[in-house]
Amino acid sequence: AQSVTQLGSHVSVSEGALVLLRCNYSSSVPPYLFWYVQYPNQGLQLLLKYTSAATLVKGINGFEAEFKKSETSFHLTKPSAHMSDAAEYFCAVSNTGRRALTFGSGTRLQVQP
Amino acid sequence: GAGVSQSPSNKVTEKGKDVELRCDPISGHTALYWYRQSLGQGLEFLIYFQGNSAPDKSGLPSDRFSAERTGGSVSTLTIQRTQQEDSAVYLCASSLGLAGGYNEQFFGPGTRLTVL
């Protein structure tokens, strides 16, 4: 079985501030972990993925995430928020035995000028 | 190249009617997934096709939901006797489906279903 918990359904930051979106997972086997972004009225876009290589993963638009097995976490960060980062972010998990993605409930990021 | 396409983009139907939603995966992708995004339930898996294997239907919420994948390509998700709680965005994704390791899923734009 696998599950994902995203703490904070809404996060608001100021432009230029650090972005931290939290994700904790549960998986009985080594997981694959993903962050997707969804802009208003658009589809899901893959930001970054962890697939058992380097634990610090860099993605598009300056985002990165670190896989911490001991904490079962995969938090998403960006050093400096841009207005264009305002969107909904989803953490997801899968594994070799269950290819379908299990998503967290999402975090809506608001960036204040 | 072309991405995953879905049709229609929007569908409004009356309660009790049947609807069919279509997904055209990326050419050469053997794996195809249906997900549903709704206000109450978030993003949830519905069904997964991999090549000629029996589909994984473990996410289908009721027997009113069914899906086919003809010729290993196009898929149709059918919802019979629609209910208002079926209102959601239905997303399709496809991947290479290679054995072992990770295969990135590419998502279509979705079909927004509204049941009146």
Side-chain angles (χ1 to χ4, degrees), chain B residues 52-83:
Chain B
N52 295 320
S53 301
D56 175 357
K57 304 179 182 180
S58 60
L60 294 178
S62 79
D63 58 8
R64 296 187 295 104
F65 287 73
S66 63
E68 289 185 334
R69 189 174 184 194
T70 54
S73 181
V74 171
S75 178
T76 302
L77 177 69
T78 301
I79 308 173
Q80 296 179 309
R81 305 180 303 281
T82 52
Q83 303 294 312

Side-chain angles (χ1 to χ4, degrees), chain B residues 13-70:
Chain B
T13 190
E14 293 179 349
K15 178 181 172 180
K17 300 285 190 183
D18 297 352
V19 296
E20 287 189 349
L21 312 179
R22 176 187 168 105
C23 172
D24 281 87
I26 292 171
S27 178
H29 280 193
T30 61
L32 187 147
Y33 306 78
W34 283 98
Y35 297 89
R36 177 170 73 172
Q37 185 173 22
S38 59
L39 282 176
Q41 302 298 323
L43 267 161
E44 53 182 344
F45 162 72
L46 296 177
I47 188 168
Y48 161 46
F49 295 90
Q50 172 56 62
N52 295 320
S53 301
D56 175 357
K57 304 179 182 180
S58 60
L60 294 178
S62 79
D63 58 8
R64 296 187 295 104
F65 287 73
S66 63
E68 289 185 334
R69 189 174 184 194
T70 54

Side-chain angles (χ1 to χ4, degrees), chain A residues 32 34 38 49 98-99 101, chain B residues 35 37 100-103 105:
Chain A
Y32 299 139
F34 311 86
Q38 188 175 39
K49 60 184 182 287
R98 181 171 173 79
R99 300 292 183 132
L101 295 165
Chain B
Y35 297 89
Q37 185 173 22
Y102 158 74
N103 291 265
Q105 294 183 30

Side-chain angles (χ1 to χ4, degrees), chain A residues 91-107:
Chain A
C91 184
V93 64
S94 73
N95 59 63
T96 54
R98 181 171 173 79
R99 300 292 183 132
L101 295 165
T102 299
F103 287 91
S105 53
T107 298

Side-chain angles (χ1 to χ4, degrees), chain A residues 20 22-25 31 33 50 54-57 65-75:
Chain A
L20 170 61
R22 299 180 185 272
C23 172
N24 288 87
Y25 71 92
L33 293 160
Y50 166 76
T55 57
L56 181 61
V57 180
E66 186 171 8
F67 171 66
K68 292 187 177 180
K69 184 178 179 180
S70 61
E71 298 177 8
T72 61
S73 69
F74 191 58
H75 302 329

